[in-house]
Amino acid sequence: MPLLCLFKKLIKLMINSSLILFVAFTPLVGAIILFFIPNEKIRLIRSIAFTTSLITFLFSLLLWLEFDYSTAKFQFVNNVNWLPFSNINFYIGVDGISIFFIILTTFLIPVCILVGWSTVKNYLKQYLIAFLVLETLMIFVFCTLDLLLFYLFFESVLIPMFLIIGIWGSRERKIRAAYQFFLYTLFGSVFMLLAILFIYFQTGTTDLQILYTTEFTVQRQIILWLAFFASFAVKVPMVPVHIWLPEAHVEAPTAGSVILAGILLKLGSYGFLRFSIPIFPEATLYFTPLIYTMSVIAIIYTSLTTLSQIDLKKIIAYSSVAHMNFVTIGLFSLNIQGIEGSLLLMLSHGLVSSALFLCVGALYDRHKTRLIQYYGGCVQTMPLFSLFFLIFTLGNLSLPGTSSFVGEFLILVGSFQSNTMITTLAATGMVLGAAYSLWLYNRVIFGPFKPNFINRFSDLNRREVMMFLPFIIGIFWIGIYPEIFLRVMHISVSALIQHGNY
Amino acid sequence: MNLSFIDLFENDLKGVFPEIFLITGTIILLVYGVIYTTERRVLSKRNIATPILIRNISWLGLYSLVLSFLLTINTPFLNGVIFYNSLVLDNFTYYLKLIIFIATFSTILFSIDYLREEKLNSFEYIILILFSTCSILLMVSSYDLIALYLAIEFQSLSFYVIAASKRNSEFSTEAGLKYFLLGAFSSGILLFGCSMIYGFTGVTNLEELAKILTSLPEAPWITETGLFIGILFLAVGFLFKLTAAPFHMWAPDVYEGSPTSVTAFFSLAPKIAILGALSRVFFYSFYDLILPWQKIFIVCSIASMILGALAAVFQKKIKRLLAYSSIGHVGYMLIGLSCGTIEGVQALFLYLIIYIAMTINIFSLLLALQKIGRGGKERRLKYIADLRGLAHTNPILALTLTAVLFSIAGIPPLAGFFGKFYLFFTALSASLYLLAVIGVVTSVISCFYYIRLVKIMYFEKINTWPLWGSIKRENSLLLAITFFFILFLGIYPSPFFLVTHQMALALSF
């Protein structure tokens, strides 16, 4: 008993000081340790990386446990003076909006490491280091409370991701994909940098909590909102600037796709929610029709595009675009249901889409092709895989009971209050989603078996099953009992809405 | 009363003690070198040898640089105007001198092995670098147009010689000739500007100029006359020396033609000195005439950024690419000057420090990296495509180069980002929105060719595994130090912000 007390005290101490720093820096420490281990010790390298990522995940769960959801304040706050003569501080903290993104990040990284367990043959150490560094950067993106630091981490994610796509991608086209990913994102975000600098010049601070209480004139808000939009729209992705996404997804290695779909797409919508909506309320109202229109076009267009794709990964990539545009509709409906639905759909998409990419990765590892015409009849050779794939496909088409349903339902409820027309159009996305998901499943799993093309049979191994199980648990948990997630978000989201007087 | 010469200049001489030490040391090295390299040593009846002292003199030169660096740190006085108001000492010159020492020190350090392997056996090369370092030090602290011009000429003369130091190479001689012609031309323009200013104001001292020109905007009769022409010519002369865009013609050829160690020196030391002198003259003396000269720098800055971004995309040779990239960087730095604010100057020198670190890194890699071809023949990097496969055979080196390239491109969290972010911030706060927008757009475009190098190193398939020579200890040391600087500046940037802030403040008084 005294031992337990001591343990509790230790945890309390850690929380008071810096639990969030533990979460953020553990992967970095792991990456630094990996640097000093020779390349040949593959087992050691793998186990160190995996252990570090698991420890990070546990720390982030602790974050959730200790989270006080009766307040909208930022918790676990840390503030370090960073630049002299300026109000740019290294300021981090977590609230109900960002906490699940951090948990999602820490949840997906061990999976990424498991994915590359035996399939990554060359430069395994560098691969693991890249992912661990990426994890630190992404956690920081979600917990910084300073605009400039947000930009800093938002951009620095590009470097490891560029290398991951380029080095461990599968085909020659990967170079083009890496370039597109890099330049699209960079081009969008430099305008955000200008906007941040402008805000800093106007208000003398980049501290988010102070900016929440600052008011800009409407014209300025509109310009600044557009500058932020240029960056976030590329990341979300909205429809004219979504071209990089299918390319990057198709060419990235499986773990890269998991991170891209799971986390990096969320950076854009998180940015909308954290920055555009509360800081520029008038501009947000002004541009809501634009967002609605672009999102609806994206939902319908990409869902239809999905039907004509022949690459497995591209289909899932386009379906991600559709889901993320559901998210933006929910965000800009500017009421509690819509925003909470978006947050849930982001979480759910982080699980479902990542899991689908893992499924495609499993197929690709076995048969070295992603073209759909070579597949068929997998149910006869891979029954276990078919089961998992079915669950994730159903999750993707937002079947009631899965997490996506809760998200999309709340989004539609939310947007129905602001614009029925948009809701009606967006709801067609659910039908189309069902169409492409089921058709994809049908073509891969059922139908005639094509032994001319696919002639090495192996069902999922234990590692892969273990990898998929947490996803299934997550999907059903959110789908059946979403209250536990909504409860944490509730106060923060309503504070955000109250703050903007929406 | 016996008032001797020494008494009169007692404190003045203390003020220039580092320069005096360096010049004396260099002369002693020159004498030593001349005597020992022309001494015939009879080894046997048939072997009569004269020693090659390049390595020896390099190390001695490094020691003398270190000693003058220490002298500069322990200077007896930080502030003062000496030698009949022709030289000035303040925080600005102090820190710039330290940066210059670091830049020169690393230039000599990372080219020692290069010089030996390329058989550039004339020790005068090092002597000339030391002499030009002296002139650069004087240039930074000059407080009079005449002193400034003399220092610039001293430096340029040394540079003309070392640009053509590889006499058996056609490129090098051509580069030397081009550099000489355009350098002399630009010096002429600069001198004409000085004489116009002198003719219309009657003074050459920068402080007196500042006093005369303080209320000038209220007296437009002077601005309309030759003073403006003088300022224009002065600016053009400086921009020539800085390789800013409309006056950049010589830079790519000279950068490519001269030996790589010389290119490294050209892209490091003169940039510091000329930017220092430029900001002293324009920011301090001509401050009230900011409206006319600001336009010149804005135009040059825009032109340099665009040229640096677009022209480098099509380069195949690595040194030409670096030349255009340095033109682009000059464009970014001119943003800081065009602002005409303290933050602008601070941003300029912050960027300069980071630029120096990145350039030292790239050149110490470029000078040391050798591809071992068939039959063990070593070949230096000439084309960008030569980097192919570096990541496979030398991963740490590739990682270093990648970090530096991303930093040059201005991707956070590397050092280059902080320089650019602060420059753009000052541009916005000085309401130069166009400059900021063009700056960010060109930095995205220039990303394209920086990450192309990363692509060549990492992504391209290789048929034959290239073999690389090992990197020498001196170079790897410099590589490591600058790599850590670039990687971790973001964690604790305060000292650099404070130092550059002090520099900018010293300049504005």
Side-chain angles (χ1 to χ4, degrees), chain B residues 6-61:
Chain B
I6 291 295
D7 286 337
L8 194 66
F9 282 117
E10 193 175 20
N11 288 324
D12 297 18
L13 284 177
K14 276 183 198 159
V16 289
F17 206 61
E19 284 89 342
I20 291 178
F21 176 81
L22 194 58
I23 286 219
T24 323
T26 316
I27 291 172
I28 291 171
L29 280 187
L30 178 64
V31 172
Y32 161 75
V34 168
I35 288 176
Y36 278 91
T37 46
T38 51
E39 183 204 40
R40 290 154 62 87
R41 234 178 244 172
V42 184
L43 300 175
S44 65
K45 270 195 177 171
R46 298 172 98 189
N47 270 335
I48 299 171
T50 56
I52 295 166
L53 286 182
I54 179 87
R55 204 177 160 79
N56 182 295
I57 289 211
S58 303
W59 279 108
L60 290 173

Side-chain angles (χ1 to χ4, degrees), chain A residues 32 35 39 81-86 88 122-123 126 137 148 151-160 162-168 170-172 174-175 178-179 182-183 186-188 190-191 193-202 220, chain B residues 346 391-393 395-396 399 402 406 409-414 417-418 420-422 424-425 428-431 433 436-437 440-441 443-445 447-449 451-455 458-461 465 489-495 497-498 501:
Chain A
I32 291 169
F35 246 109
N39 284 327
N81 196 323
W82 187 57
L83 283 187
F85 307 125
S86 68
I88 304 174
N122 41 1
Y123 309 119
Q126 282 84 344
L137 295 176
L148 189 77
Y151 175 81
L152 205 143
F153 293 114
F154 185 80
E155 282 296 86
S156 49
V157 168
L158 284 184
I159 301 177
F162 176 72
L163 295 177
I164 286 170
I165 296 176
I167 298 175
W168 294 283
S170 45
R171 292 185 301 182
E172 271 313 295
K174 68 190 179 181
I175 296 170
Y179 261 75
F182 194 91
L183 292 177
L186 190 68
F187 193 75
V190 286
F191 290 103
L193 176 65
L194 282 186
I196 290 171
L197 293 178
F198 188 78
I199 290 173
Y200 177 45
F201 167 59
Q202 284 293 316
R220 256 186 207 152
Chain B
Q346 185 188 351
H392 304 271
T393 47
I396 303 253
L399 184 71
T402 309
F406 277 121
I411 308 293
L414 304 168
F417 166 71
F418 293 96
K420 274 188 182 159
F421 127 73
Y422 205 58
F424 296 147
F425 171 64
L428 284 182
S429 56
S431 332
Y433 301 114
V437 171
V440 294
V441 172
S443 75
V444 173
I445 298 171
C447 259
F448 178 74
Y449 59 84
I451 63 172
R452 195 173 67 192
L453 293 184
V454 178
K455 177 200 97 176
Y458 276 95
F459 306 163
E460 287 199 351
K461 276 222 172 99
W465 282 58
L489 177 79
I491 292 176
Y492 188 52
S494 305
F497 272 78
L498 289 173
H501 190 71

Side-chain angles (χ1 to χ4, degrees), chain B residues 357-385:
Chain B
M358 297 187 299
T359 316
I360 288 175
N361 190 308
I362 284 215
F363 274 103
S364 51
L365 193 141
L366 212 61
L367 281 162
L369 207 55
Q370 281 180 324
K371 220 172 184 173
I372 300 176
R374 284 203 191 112
K377 267 197 162 183
E378 297 191 346
R379 193 162 62 85
R380 290 194 180 278
L381 290 180
K382 191 173 179 191
Y383 297 95
I384 298 170

Side-chain angles (χ1 to χ4, degrees), chain A residues 379 382-393 441 445 472:
Chain A
V379 72
M382 304 169 75
L384 205 51
F385 172 80
S386 308
L387 174 68
F388 284 130
F389 196 37
L390 177 70
I391 293 171
F392 298 133
T393 307
Y441 188 77
I445 301 296
I472 292 177

Side-chain angles (χ1 to χ4, degrees), chain A residues 95-368:
Chain A
D95 73 344
I97 293 169
S98 54
I99 184 164
F100 288 118
F101 290 108
I102 294 175
I103 293 172
L104 185 65
T105 311
T106 53
F107 170 73
L108 286 179
I109 291 286
V111 175
C112 289
I113 289 170
L114 272 184
V115 165
W117 202 257
S118 57
T119 50
V120 173
K121 292 281 189 294
N122 41 1
Y123 309 119
L124 179 74
K125 188 172 91 174
Q126 282 84 344
Y127 175 85
L128 297 173
I129 288 174
F131 273 99
L132 288 177
V133 170
L134 193 62
E135 181 176 12
T136 298
L137 295 176
M138 287 184 306
I139 291 170
F140 272 126
V141 172
F142 289 123
C143 65
T144 45
L145 303 179
D146 187 285
L147 268 183
L148 189 77
L149 279 166
F150 171 78
Y151 175 81
L152 205 143
F153 293 114
F154 185 80
E155 282 296 86
S156 49
V157 168
L158 284 184
I159 301 177
M161 211 54 220
F162 176 72
L163 295 177
I164 286 170
I165 296 176
I167 298 175
W168 294 283
S170 45
R171 292 185 301 182
E172 271 313 295
R173 206 177 156 79
K174 68 190 179 181
I175 296 170
R176 188 189 147 102
Y179 261 75
Q180 271 192 358
F181 167 72
F182 194 91
L183 292 177
Y184 262 84
T185 315
L186 190 68
F187 193 75
S189 22
V190 286
F191 290 103
M192 180 167 77
L193 176 65
L194 282 186
I196 290 171
L197 293 178
F198 188 78
I199 290 173
Y200 177 45
F201 167 59
Q202 284 293 316
T203 61
T205 184
T206 52
D207 189 322
L208 198 64
Q209 281 164 301
I210 298 174
L211 286 177
Y212 280 162
T213 61
T214 336
E215 283 187 25
F216 298 92
T217 60
V218 176
Q219 279 147 328
R220 256 186 207 152
Q221 280 193 25
I222 286 173
I223 292 171
L224 291 173
W225 193 94
L226 278 177
F228 276 79
F229 177 71
S231 165
F232 297 146
V234 173
K235 265 271 151 73
V236 164
M238 309 297 274
V239 109
V241 283
H242 69 291
I243 312 289
W244 65 272
L245 183 114
E247 288 277 340
H249 265 126
V250 171
E251 301 308 323
T254 308
S257 302
V258 168
I259 286 299
L260 262 175
I263 314 292
L264 294 194
L265 298 190
K266 274 72 184 175
L267 293 186
S269 40
Y270 173 77
F272 276 133
L273 188 57
R274 180 66 91 205
F275 304 106
S276 300
I277 292 176
I279 302 182
F280 316 120
E282 277 91 1
T284 304
L285 284 177
Y286 182 79
F287 281 113
T288 300
L290 175 77
I291 292 273
Y292 275 167
T293 320
M294 285 173 79
S295 307
V296 164
I297 291 173
I299 290 171
I300 295 172
Y301 166 72
T302 50
S303 302
L304 290 174
T305 313
T306 311
L307 292 172
S308 66
Q309 294 300 320
I310 53 163
D311 190 307
L312 282 173
K313 262 191 168 177
K314 236 175 203 169
I315 294 173
I316 297 158
Y318 273 111
S319 84
S320 300
V321 178
H323 284 290
M324 287 315 289
N325 281 284
F326 259 110
V327 168
T328 48
I329 287 183
L331 290 180
F332 281 82
S333 63
L334 302 173
N335 47 41
I336 293 183
Q337 292 90 338
I339 292 179
E340 283 183 353
S342 308
L343 283 168
L344 268 191
L345 186 60
M346 281 192 251
L347 275 183
S348 143
H349 174 259
L351 296 174
V352 173
S353 193
S354 308
L356 282 173
F357 277 116
L358 290 176
C359 289
V360 175
L363 280 183
Y364 182 79
D365 287 341
R366 285 166 177 71
H367 306 303
K368 300 295 172 210

